[in-house]
Amino acid sequence: MAKPAQKVIITCAVTGSIHTPTMSPHLPITPDEIAEAAVGAAEAGAAIIHLHARDPKDGRPTPDPGVFMEFLPRIKQQSDAVVNITTGGGHGMTLAERLAAPLRASPEMCSLNMGSMNFGLFPLLDRYPSFQHDWERQHLENSRDFIFRNTFKDIESVLKELGEGHGTRFEFECYDMGHLYNLAHFLDRGLVKPPLFVQTIFGILGGIGADPENLMHMRRIADKLFGDSYRWSILAAGRHQMPLCTMGATMGANVRVGLEDSLYLGKGTLAETNAQQVAKIRGICESLSLDIATPQEAREMLALKGGDQVAF
């Protein structure tokens, strides 16, 4: 089974590319806001900060390396957190666009989605009668007829360019059971190396549902495929965030929170900062007698190259 988390690694995904400015006034948009949110999350106990970028004019997701470089150095200067840059980007971006910032920044870690999938955001349209920006409604509607592409060739390219080329390791994002088997395929081929950081994701329309039974089953299959060669982590969308992270933590998992995954701190209460969500899950873990990993401990657990080996 997965190596027990001697200490729990908290990842915080501070802005993502799913939610739009209309949905919360607290969503980090500008480089200043993203840097401040990331540093705050690190101070609250997040060892890993997962990052997307947004156009500061209207908040739409952007792959522009120049925007990333406006906040990456500041996060490094003001915290010791592991910086984890998306390779998923946002809906409609090409693989080359999605890789532009990571290839420039050469981070310790990147996310890597383990399969193509439907990724439905359009149900959110029913919650908002109007939007601040024209792009928001179209962004959500487009997901009705969209496949988030991550072919075997795409994944091979990321592993070669970032993994071999930059010594970057990965948060392997598994949204469904087949994604675990895809990862096992790359492990069998020797294209990925243990310890694997396996992020099992629940509650996205198009992926596996946020049910406790599914969490248990994903864990069983991961144990079967990877034995003691992986570190397990949990993230769940929206209202499922804290319950499933808590359940996972009791089973030895690491956890991920942040405004990318949920805009709320509790029922009906918007999170004002990412740090609030980090503090909440940290408090839950500590109440369960679980210790929280520091960034340096996370580096050792995940065999990362170190913050002095990045290009920002």
Side-chain angles (χ1 to χ4, degrees), residues 199-215:
Q199 189 74 259
T200 50
I201 300 173
F202 303 87
I204 295 294
L205 182 59
I208 199 165
D211 303 299
E213 297 89 345
N214 286 337
L215 187 148

Side-chain angles (χ1 to χ4, degrees), residues 71-142:
F71 55 77
L72 292 177
R74 295 168 58 185
I75 295 169
K76 181 182 175 184
Q77 289 161 9
Q78 297 178 55
S79 81
D80 187 39
V82 175
V83 169
N84 171 345
I85 300 177
T86 179
T87 67
H91 285 192
M93 295 180 190
T94 66
L95 183 62
E97 289 173 329
R98 288 157 50 184
L99 290 181
L103 289 174
R104 176 165 173 183
S106 189
E108 294 182 77
M109 178 169 275
C110 281
S111 64
L112 180 54
N113 189 294
M114 293 312 296
S116 300
M117 60 182 292
N118 295 332
F119 204 112
L121 306 179
F122 58 88
L124 292 169
L125 286 166
D126 297 334
R127 300 186 189 178
Y128 305 94
S130 61
F131 290 91
Q132 294 179 30
H133 306 286
D134 291 341
W135 72 267
E136 297 179 68
R137 183 177 296 279
Q138 194 62 46
H139 170 73
L140 300 175
E141 179 57 42
N142 286 348

